Amino acid sequence: MNFKIEKGIPAPCTPENLRTGRKLLYPFAEMKVGDSFLVPETEDIRNRADRVKSAASTYSRKHSIRLATKIVEGGVRVWRLA
């Protein structure tokens, strides 16, 4: 069977429409290498740190970037490393 290869047909599955419709809680997509942001401290800083670290890990795996998180004075800081 022969298949005709066609060009210029828009794909129905682009990164924009593959999203679940859920807005990202953290601004990972806007970060450039060297940027960071602070997630303010809450009553349970360990729980908050675990949630931020999990979100950063998932995003970095899906988008092939490197993010680092650390508990600092005032909350949890996230850096984009690569």
Side-chain angles (χ1 to χ4, degrees), residues 1-6:
M1 188 177 256
N2 290 327
F3 295 96
K4 181 180 175 189
I5 297 176
E6 301 173 304

Side-chain angles (χ1 to χ4, degrees), residues 28 51-62 65 67 69:
F28 302 133
R51 293 179 67 173
V52 172
K53 185 175 183 176
S54 177
S57 177
T58 299
Y59 187 88
S60 64
R61 268 195 320 270
K62 286 184 177 182
I65 65 171
L67 297 168
T69 61

Side-chain angles (χ1 to χ4, degrees), residues 3 8 17 21-22 27 30 33 37 45 47 49-50 54 58-59 61 66-69 74-77:
F3 295 96
N17 63 16
R22 196 169 143 193
E30 291 89 42
V33 175
F37 65 90
I45 190 66
N47 184 34
D50 287 344
S54 177
T58 299
Y59 187 88
R61 268 195 320 270
R66 288 188 58 212
L67 297 168
T69 61
V76 181
R77 186 158 291 278

Side-chain angles (χ1 to χ4, degrees), residues 15-48:
E16 293 78 30
N17 63 16
L18 280 178
R19 296 181 63 131
T20 62
R22 196 169 143 193
K23 193 167 181 136
L24 291 176
L25 181 60
Y26 306 111
F28 302 133
E30 291 89 42
M31 296 178 76
K32 305 291 183 217
V33 175
D35 290 351
S36 70
F37 65 90
L38 180 70
V39 179
E41 187 171 349
T42 59
E43 292 176 20
D44 186 2
I45 190 66
R46 293 282 176 203
N47 184 34
R48 173 61 66 106

